[in-house]
Amino acid sequence: MSSLRKLYTYLFFIGWFFFPFNDFEGIKEFGEFKNESGAFFFIAGFVFLLIEALRIKKISIPYKNLLFGTLLLFFAWCIITILINFNAVCDSYFKHTGGIVRFIRQFFSLLVSAFIFFIFYWNVIIGWNATRILNTIRKVLLIGLVFVFFYGFIETLIIYFHIGALRPVLGIFDYFPFLDVNYQPDGRISSVAYESPSLGNYLITISGWMFSYIFTEKGKSRFIPTLMVLFLTFFSGSRTAFINIGLQLVILFSVLYSMHQYRGLLRDAFKYTLLATVVLLFLNGDKITKAFTEKAESLNFRENLTKSVSNQSRFGMQYASLQVFKDHPITGVGFGQETYYKRFYYPRWAKKDNYEFKLKYENKNDRSFPTAYNIYTRLLAETGIIGFLIFSSLIYLCIKKALLVWKKGMDEEKTLGLILIISFAGLSLNWMQTDFFRQHGFWLCMAILIKLLGDIKKRNKITP
């Protein structure tokens, strides 16, 4: 292995360790990636990859794969939507930003996440077998989770159980890179992330990898990674994480229950979960009961629509995006352009007593563009039904091919297939609450999937 390859491989591991760390001011010149600490290492790794490619005049790109081809088709369609709407794009202007500049920024963000980082991940793992992919990546994610859990556990004791004496202990973490210690004003934990939803996004990304310890390891300790994920999910208060990780658990339990050798394991998992719940209730029953009640009430979106500003904004933005889609159903208004149109469709019920619209979304002096809160409604508005179908096809193919790996793979390939199914399901559902392409876990899983499909094809001559 060349020294450059060793270097960018180390940067790959360091980047995934720091993936959840975004609770710091960041570098504003990096735009959407300004406080994505993991992305800093991925960018550096890609630079060293390019240097090596120039030296040996070779870089690996899976251009013959159907999944990668579908991704390239999506890139092409995003550019075509701008060309179709070119006159309107040139005339668009809002928040001190023109339509062309907005497209360049958004398309660059897409390319960084779904192409540059993807090619980086691909070239790191291209020479690995399934065993090394599973063991090395999962171990790095576990080490990161232990750190996140330790921080989150102390934070929980301070916020939920009012043990103020631990504040100086948490303050020590201020000396750690990419981390500024703070507490959420709404009483939810966020650990090393800047807010609870960001912590939830991290947990959704790693959950499949952590669940896999249950059926690959021996002894009671194999349940610990899953319990850490569930603990952080619960006390983060993230509704998105609560729902998505719940779905991921259902997938895991359904698969395991279909295999007779794991039914006893499921009984053990239920037993230890029940035991942990009883212990928590015994230690502080009132606070735990209250926390469970609050989580249940938070899932009542209809009732919270009139009480929660965030829900009003979220559903209001999705509604506005769909109105733009109704007016431009085939090709959309152009990639990155929806805000120039949807600002005229904000519903009254979303703006009523909602400070976010006045201070941020409709404030021309605030340069940040309103989020769409949903990648699918955003794509419907910006790329029309054609772009939406291309992107949805990519997700469908990823899940379908991951099922193939799980069915046809051997040993660690089979394990990775299940991890990929769980990850793709959770991350694609998570895109119903986020409108950015910085789902780094999705693009890593896609690179791993293409690698496994190639290995299975060589061995069994199955068309990937």
Side-chain angles (χ1 to χ4, degrees):
M1 182 185 293
S2 69
S3 57
L4 281 174
R5 179 167 177 78
K6 286 182 180 179
L7 180 57
Y8 68 70
T9 299
Y10 287 140
L11 289 170
F12 170 83
F13 290 137
I14 296 171
W16 279 109
F17 172 82
F18 281 108
F19 165 61
F21 290 74
N22 55 27
D23 192 8
F24 64 104
E25 186 176 351
I27 305 172
K28 65 179 181 179
E29 287 78 12
F30 277 53
E32 290 187 14
F33 301 91
K34 67 179 181 180
N35 60 350
E36 295 251 349
S37 57
F40 296 167
F41 295 98
F42 298 152
I43 292 171
F46 182 75
V47 170
F48 286 112
L49 169 64
L50 287 182
I51 294 173
E52 183 187 53
L54 291 173
R55 184 175 67 85
I56 65 175
K57 296 181 174 59
K58 182 181 179 182
I59 188 170
S60 179
I61 299 177
Y63 59 90
K64 292 183 179 180
N65 182 269
L66 176 61
L67 299 176
F68 188 70
T70 305
L71 179 62
L72 294 181
L73 178 62
F74 178 69
F75 292 158
W77 180 251
C78 289
I79 296 174
I80 291 172
T81 61
I82 291 297
L83 297 177
I84 292 174
N85 297 279
F86 190 73
N87 290 335
V89 171
C90 291
D91 293 337
S92 295
Y93 190 83
F94 183 57
K95 287 180 175 283
H96 307 279
T97 305
I100 296 294
V101 173
R102 176 67 177 169
F103 164 72
I104 293 173
R105 290 175 178 174
Q106 289 300 296
F107 193 69
F108 178 74
S109 176
L110 169 63
L111 286 180
V112 170
S113 298
F115 183 79
I116 290 177
F117 288 173
F118 170 83
I119 295 299
F120 173 56
Y121 306 150
W122 170 256
N123 279 270
V124 169
I125 68 170
I126 187 64
W128 298 357
N129 58 22
T131 302
R132 187 175 181 186
I133 291 173
L134 175 65
N135 292 339
T136 55
I137 294 178
R138 187 172 64 171
K139 184 177 292 185
V140 170
L141 294 178
L142 176 61
I143 294 171
L145 174 62
V146 170
F147 189 97
V148 172
F149 176 80
F150 183 67
Y151 184 107
F153 182 73
I154 297 175
E155 193 178 12
T156 300
L157 294 177
I158 294 172
I159 294 176
Y160 277 86
F161 300 98
H162 308 295
I163 305 178
L166 291 175
R167 290 182 184 273
V169 177
L170 204 61
I172 296 174
F173 287 90
D174 261 328
Y175 296 98
F176 205 82
F178 311 116
L179 184 58
D180 295 329
V181 174
N182 66 75
Y183 303 99
Q184 292 291 299
D186 55 4
R188 301 188 296 173
I189 72 166
S190 61
S191 188
V192 299
Y194 76 97
E195 63 177 358
S196 298
S198 181
L199 173 61
N201 181 69
Y202 162 71
L203 295 172
I204 293 167
T205 301
I206 69 167
S207 58
W209 296 89
M210 298 302 103
F211 294 165
S212 68
Y213 277 106
I214 294 176
F215 51 88
T216 63
E217 305 301 314
K218 303 295 182 182
K220 298 179 178 60
S221 61
R222 58 183 162 175
F223 297 104
I224 293 177
T226 295
L227 292 175
M228 287 194 291
V229 168
L230 297 180
F231 178 92
L232 292 171
T233 300
F234 180 82
F235 286 104
S236 74
S238 171
R239 291 184 293 267
T240 301
F242 201 75
I243 293 172
N244 287 10
I245 292 177
L247 170 66
Q248 291 175 313
L249 280 172
V250 169
I251 295 172
L252 174 68
F253 291 155
S254 298
V255 171
L256 293 181
Y257 189 78
S258 68
M259 305 167 72
H260 292 285
Q261 66 268 35
Y262 289 115
R263 290 185 179 178
L265 182 62
L266 289 178
R267 288 192 292 268
D268 288 342
F270 178 78
K271 179 175 65 176
Y272 289 119
T273 301
L274 182 62
L275 178 62
T277 304
V278 171
V279 171
L280 286 172
L281 289 173
F282 176 76
L283 291 175
N284 208 319
D286 291 339
K287 284 185 171 60
I288 297 298
T289 302
K290 181 180 177 181
F292 269 105
T293 302
E294 290 174 350
K295 298 299 177 294
E297 291 176 350
S298 71
L299 296 176
N300 189 340
F301 291 102
R302 183 175 181 180
E303 182 178 340
N304 289 333
L305 187 58
T306 58
K307 298 180 180 180
S308 170
V309 169
S310 63
N311 278 349
Q312 283 181 267
S313 298
R314 178 178 294 108
F315 293 116
M317 288 296 177
Q318 294 174 4
Y319 171 87
S321 295
L322 290 175
Q323 298 309 303
V324 175
F325 167 66
K326 285 174 60 178
D327 291 343
H328 306 82
I330 307 302
T331 60
V333 296
F335 186 73
Q337 307 298 303
E338 70 155 1
T339 295
Y340 297 112
Y341 295 80
K342 78 176 182 182
R343 61 196 178 104
F344 300 111
Y345 292 100
Y346 294 149
R348 291 182 179 178
W349 50 263
K351 296 169 63 175
K352 183 180 179 181
D353 300 323
N354 190 333
Y355 66 89
E356 290 185 344
F357 279 87
K358 183 177 180 180
L359 294 180
K360 296 192 297 183
Y361 305 143
E362 295 184 309
N363 182 2
K364 296 180 181 180
N365 294 320
D366 181 3
R367 292 176 178 269
S368 60
F369 270 61
T371 175
Y373 288 106
N374 189 314
I375 197 71
Y376 304 110
T377 57
R378 174 190 169 184
L379 290 178
L380 283 170
E382 294 184 346
T383 64
I385 193 65
I386 297 176
F388 171 80
L389 289 177
I390 295 173
F391 191 74
S392 298
S393 297
L394 176 63
I395 294 174
Y396 167 76
L397 288 170
C398 285
I399 296 175
K400 180 181 177 181
K401 299 300 183 181
L403 279 167
L404 174 65
V405 171
W406 180 68
K407 292 178 180 178
K408 302 294 184 180
M410 297 173 59
D411 302 325
E412 284 79 6
E413 289 176 346
K414 201 173 189 70
T415 300
L416 283 169
L418 181 55
I419 292 172
L420 295 177
I421 293 169
I422 293 172
S423 298
F424 284 134
L427 291 169
S428 59
L429 182 61
N430 193 43
W431 259 321
M432 295 187 71
Q433 296 291 325
T434 59
D435 73 335
F436 51 77
F437 293 94
R438 303 186 319 275
Q439 294 273 29
H440 304 310
F442 185 92
W443 308 114
L444 172 64
C445 287
M446 187 171 136
I448 294 172
L449 176 59
I450 295 175
K451 163 63 177 171
L452 296 176
L453 289 170
D455 292 345
I456 293 175
K457 179 183 179 182
K458 290 178 183 177
R459 186 175 63 248
N460 298 334
K461 297 183 179 179
I462 296 174
T463 303

